[in-house]
Amino acid sequence: MEYIGENLLPGQIGEFFIALAFSAAIFSMVSYYFSTKEESAASWKKLGRIGFIIHGLSVFMVIGTLFYLFMNHQYEYNYVYKYSSKTMPMKYVFSAFWSGQEGSFLLWSFWHIVLGGLLILKGKNWEKHTMTILALVQVFISSMLLGVYFVDYKFGSNPFILNRELPETILMPWASSESYLSLLFADGRGLNPLLQNYWMTIHPPTLFLGFASTVVPFAFAIAGLWKRDYSGWIKPALPWTFFSVMILGTGILMGGAWAYESLTFGGFWAWDPVENASLVPWIILVAGAHIMLINKHKPKSLFSAFLFIILSFIFILYSTFLTRSGILGESSVHSFVESGILPQLLIYLLFFVGMAVAMLHKDVLERKIYSWASFLIFVLGIGLYLLDTDAVRFEYAPAAFVVLFLLLSAVYTVKAYTKHYRTDEDEPLVSREFWMFIGGLVLFISALQITIWTSIPVFNHVASPFQSIYANIANLTGWEWAASLAEGKLSIGSDVVNIYNRWQIPFTVLITLFIGTTQFMKYGKNDGGKWFKAVSLSLIISAAITAFFLFVWGFEDSTYPSNYVLLFTSIFAVVANADYLIRVLKGNIRKGGSPIAHVGFGLLIFGALVSQSQQDIISTTKSTDITGLGGGINSKEDQLMYKGDTLTMGNYMTTYTGYDSDGRNAYYHIDYYSQVANSFQKDDIAYRLIQNLPVFFIAKQDHTSSPTFIEDMETHWYPLPAPTETQLDRAKKWRGFNPGEKEFTLSPRIQINETFGNAPEPDTKHYGNEDLFTFLKFAQIDKLKTDSLGFLPMKETKMLLGDTLKLTEGLLIVDSLRPMGEEKAIFGFLSSDIVLKTYMHFTSEEKDTLLTSRFLVRGNQAVGEEITLVKEGFKATIKLIQPKDGTAEITLEHAEKSENYRDFIVMRAVKFPQINILWIGCLIMILGTIIAIIERIRTNRIGRKTT
Amino acid sequence: MKKSEIALIILAGVAIAAMVSALGGSGKAETFATAFSNPGVDYKINGKLIREEPIIYNPEENAALTVFTMVDSEGGISKVYLNEAKQQGFEQSESINLFGYVEDGKFRGHDMQMKCPSKYNDQKHLIDLQASAN
């Protein structure tokens, strides 16, 4: 039937090009594969290139079509509907494009195509093999976009599917109504406000280029194994590998910068599973890249080079599996739950594991045995799963067979090592190769720790068929982890940041130490004494700098003693590499890529360590605990600020001046002033609020105040228990400081979005040596709802006799209760009525008023008399009186008028010292890596010319 | 054996042993029932906010106390006293990871992570549209 307003042609064009892209990728792969055999290699290669070009152009067409749909607000398309809306500014259309699964796969494909193009141009005699691998990868990724059904199972997810074509909606009544479009989808759902910023425009493309770029070193490694040229692949692959290190690292760091700038957890790394999943391949890639360097001239640890480069790509696939499949489920509050894609991602991952392990074997027979065994496992796993019925349960077959396959792969990997790669040659102890290798190992263990902890939900899932076995183990041994696994409830615990830091800080200590020591080692044998002499200068300087920092800052850290060691080793990494650049390389920047990059890394670690461990929360509030819970709940770190009040915060005086909102964002303005000590003259009257009641003091003499009242109380103040009327008029709240010059204004904001929830975003003052990071914990955004008389919604508070209720204009105190006796008759009450007369009083700076309210209980009905304070805009009614703890508890329902309501916010302010060093370190590290890449390309080119 | 192999085996052995033992000590997601029967012990509880029950946050009285009611993964319901300001979007949260302990018969939370409505969870949204369309 014809649906009014639908524009179906672009979708159909898009779907056509997806199919074409998929087919062309297969064609390209097959052609390139045949080109690696000798017969008519040249023409096969040409076909491979043509296929890849067609594939590339098709993907570009798909991307273009999807952009067209976004720009033209075609909300009949589900993807456009989900991620954009008419009110979304078009500059965020890029963010919208890659917010979703399909869009991010397209972005990934895009980069693969660009890299493929470069490989075709520059790959020389490696092109045929590497492009076969790349085309194969593209077959897998293109399949993620197909959205075709094979019997019951859906392959991939089509970005051009219409809202009415989804499995959940296809049977809905509106899906067969021809005018559904204008009724239901006139506007899109809109992009999550947290993604409507420039970071979402630049971070994903950079990060996805990082992901995509790991395929090139992997392709070279497999090509090396395929061509049986076991070390020749390293030199051409090195620039690509370091490019991947650089760009993936940049993408990851951008994510951290984004988190720091826009999110309010006050950091740049949360050890969230999604973050960890991208960091792990990077760490392994760094290890692999360094091991490739060792093997550049003399292949000594080829196996490790292969293993790490292969693993870096495998972990990219694993990371995409973790984040997209939904397997992290409830354990990560950031997991992106996608339906149905888990099996495809898993097969994608396991296929390349299998291919890599097979290729590691030089013996064709072994390859065949392993491949067939793996294939058998695969078929059995799927077959048994499909046979799963209520009678014979096989639903856990896939999990079991995945484990079986991984075990087989591990065995075959070790087998390949021992059979083909093991050499008896041993490197000297003091040599660059040995320590770079050890460094690579430490990096690998660090990555392993992160990935194992992050994958715990996967363990729970995979262990599910074996729960009874784990229960038995737990019973026998009392091991807690077994017990948790038996219930599928293993988890890493509550303090995520500390859990990872406890492991990663010692690893980082080792790495930064090696970064310093190894730079001074040459390849091959080194004279230990000479080396130590070279390094000792850096050691001494670093120790001196460390001691200086400890002394000047009073570096207090009770959480990790290892922080002190890390402080030293990170400084050492910087100093040693700077020394190397100056003394050994004589300041030759062009050849200095490596020391520069390592200086950057050392600074990054130093900046991270100092800013996080020395962070200082300067917002404080003293709050009496009136929750009846006893000690432990006090708001120490969040500051409550009424509009117009000036409060001390750290070494500032701050005033909240109000907020304004443009409908999308509400900005709350806080002025920051310098602090000037307050001064008092003899006989000045000041008061302090103790338990919300003012206590008065009179100054003994002229003096300048100390920061806290306690310091001055003995020497400068007499208590004044009964101030006179005139004294009360003169009384001012005691303050240690007065505001001086206004230094700046910060406006932390709240992004308003009803669909996704309001999102607070920080505003930060950047100094050279620290950042002041502020954000709102609570603020009133909506216009306060009032009733027809201007009263805000009623609130209910339970009060015991003697309790105080804090109102805007003063305090309401419940004094006593008295049941009415014979006078009931005078007021028209029945003798069977119970009437409780409640005595309260309202007190403020200006007055003290007595109030009474009668509470009537007749039969099983109870009603209270309303009390009002007209000038203060306050009304209250007693709802319930009941005995409690030997006294009476009164439930009071009360409300104030909005005009008396004082606007307030609750905010937090944190100082991060030396955080700029973190960002400077990032930039230097990226710069150094780029210099190294350029130098590597230059060296390779010269090397080729001379051979 | 080569130095590098020895180093690898030692490093790997130590790491694996440490990791396994550390995992044994790590907490697992628990229920209110367990927390209430072991007061004073810190637990992680996964569950959902019960929106029908009042969410009390009076920053003027105590800027870091939010009181709400939550149901855990096994249906256990409890009031929670969370030592934090009410987070933005709390009412719309889809699931909560709560960290805290029981003291004096009350569950006191000190940390909370919440999952905002998933960007991808829109099929439900489309089904809800039917109600608004008719």
Side-chain angles (χ1 to χ4, degrees), chain A residues 82 417 489 491 494 631 642, chain B residues 5 27-28 60 99 108 122:
Chain A
K82 278 197 282 194
Y417 169 70
K489 283 211 232 135
S491 112
S494 46
Y642 283 105
Chain B
E5 286 175 358
K28 51 180 175 136
E60 294 172 270
F99 303 95
R108 299 160 67 125
D122 37 51

Side-chain angles (χ1 to χ4, degrees), chain A residues 196-265:
Chain A
Q196 290 185 35
N197 59 39
Y198 68 94
W199 285 111
M200 188 59 187
T201 310
I202 58 175
H203 165 62
T206 316
L207 190 66
F208 274 88
L209 177 55
F211 292 157
S213 61
T214 58
V215 80
V216 180
F218 173 77
F220 269 102
I222 301 291
L225 291 166
W226 191 353
K227 283 172 83 167
R228 299 185 183 277
D229 182 0
Y230 297 103
S231 55
W233 63 279
I234 291 181
K235 275 223 185 92
L238 268 172
W240 292 97
T241 314
F242 275 101
F243 171 73
S244 185
V245 166
M246 189 264 300
I247 201 84
L248 180 57
T250 307
I252 293 172
L253 291 169
M254 267 191 196
W258 180 2
Y260 180 65
E261 201 195 83
S262 300
L263 300 179
T264 53
F265 74 90

Side-chain angles (χ1 to χ4, degrees), chain A residues 87 121 181 183 331 370 419 526:
Chain A
T87 50
L121 287 172
L181 182 56
L183 285 173
S331 59
Y370 169 76
K419 200 164 166 187
N526 282 258

Side-chain angles (χ1 to χ4, degrees), chain A residues 613-910:
Chain A
S613 66
Q614 300 306 300
Q615 66 178 271
D616 188 17
I617 299 178
I618 63 170
S619 49
T620 54
T621 262
K622 283 180 272 297
S623 164
T624 56
D625 171 54
I626 58 174
T627 61
L629 293 180
I633 297 207
N634 276 310
S635 52
K636 293 197 298 292
E637 297 170 340
D638 300 329
Q639 190 132 341
L640 173 68
M641 301 177 69
Y642 283 105
K643 184 166 156 183
D645 276 355
T646 305
L647 302 172
T648 313
M649 196 190 292
N651 43 11
Y652 303 98
M653 300 287 294
T654 55
T655 308
Y656 166 51
T657 56
Y659 74 95
D660 51 76
S661 161
D662 59 8
R664 284 166 52 78
N665 289 297
Y667 296 87
Y668 295 79
H669 308 292
I670 297 135
D671 290 339
Y672 288 76
Y673 301 87
S674 60
Q675 273 178 349
V676 169
N678 202 359
S679 55
F680 293 98
Q681 293 181 316
K682 185 165 184 291
D683 292 338
D684 270 348
I685 313 272
Y687 70 88
R688 306 247 306 146
L689 284 179
I690 298 177
Q691 306 247 330
N692 277 327
L693 292 168
V695 178
F696 295 89
F697 296 86
I698 184 166
K700 289 184 187 177
Q701 66 274 118
D702 292 359
H703 67 274
T704 319
S705 60
S706 309
T708 64
F709 184 74
I710 307 291
E711 295 169 75
D712 283 353
M713 195 164 79
E714 286 291 308
T715 42
H716 296 305
W717 298 96
Y718 293 118
L720 192 62
T724 63
E725 201 60 43
T726 34
Q727 283 175 324
L728 277 177
D729 280 337
R730 286 203 293 128
K732 288 207 276 260
K733 195 163 175 203
W734 185 88
R735 267 225 296 257
F737 295 101
N738 273 330
E741 289 274 316
K742 175 161 147 186
E743 298 198 4
F744 52 88
T745 305
L746 288 179
S747 307
R749 63 187 164 119
I750 297 188
Q751 232 178 11
I752 303 167
N753 191 282
E754 287 191 3
T755 330
F756 295 98
N758 298 327
E761 297 203 13
D763 199 5
T764 306
K765 174 77 182 161
H766 301 285
Y767 291 104
N769 63 338
E770 67 185 8
D771 272 3
L772 179 65
F773 179 87
T774 71
F775 61 100
L776 298 165
K777 292 286 254 180
F778 177 84
Q780 191 68 43
I781 302 174
D782 311 308
K783 284 271 167 286
L784 300 163
K785 294 190 199 48
T786 59
D787 65 13
S788 52
L789 296 166
F791 279 98
L792 293 169
M794 301 287 269
K795 286 196 270 197
E796 209 179 77
T797 309
K798 291 195 188 350
M799 303 173 72
L800 301 175
L801 293 183
D803 274 353
T804 309
L805 179 68
K806 193 162 180 295
L807 306 174
T808 308
E809 301 285 334
L811 302 166
L812 182 75
I813 300 147
V814 177
D815 294 318
S816 58
L817 267 186
R818 188 177 67 77
M820 285 179 96
E822 283 130 19
E823 67 268 39
K824 278 191 284 201
I826 309 176
F827 293 97
F829 292 113
L830 307 173
S831 56
S832 57
D833 290 341
I834 302 173
V835 186
L836 296 166
K837 200 164 177 190
T838 313
Y839 292 90
M840 299 181 265
H841 75 276
F842 171 80
T843 178
S844 72
E845 283 184 10
E846 295 163 348
K847 68 194 218 189
D848 211 308
T849 322
L850 264 134
L851 301 158
T852 57
S853 171
R854 289 171 300 187
F855 188 70
L856 165 68
V857 182
R858 180 176 291 172
N860 53 4
Q861 292 197 314
V863 68
E865 194 177 13
E866 188 183 83
I867 54 169
T868 51
L869 290 161
V870 176
K871 180 158 168 284
E872 286 74 17
F874 173 75
K875 67 175 179 181
T877 316
I878 300 176
K879 280 283 162 217
L880 185 65
I881 301 182
Q882 57 188 13
K884 187 171 176 183
D885 295 341
T887 174
E889 182 190 74
I890 296 170
T891 304
L892 196 68
E893 199 183 59
H894 56 97
E896 292 188 77
K897 278 201 171 166
S898 63
E899 63 210 32
N900 296 88
Y901 176 81
R902 288 186 73 189
D903 188 12
F904 68 89
I905 57 171
V906 179
M907 66 170 279
R908 183 178 293 202
V910 188

Side-chain angles (χ1 to χ4, degrees), chain A residues 7-16 65 69 77 158 160 162:
Chain A
N7 184 359
L8 293 179
L9 183 62
Q12 290 162 342
I13 292 176
E15 285 169 3
F16 167 74
T65 312
L69 292 175
Y77 291 93
N158 177 2
F160 297 107
L162 298 174

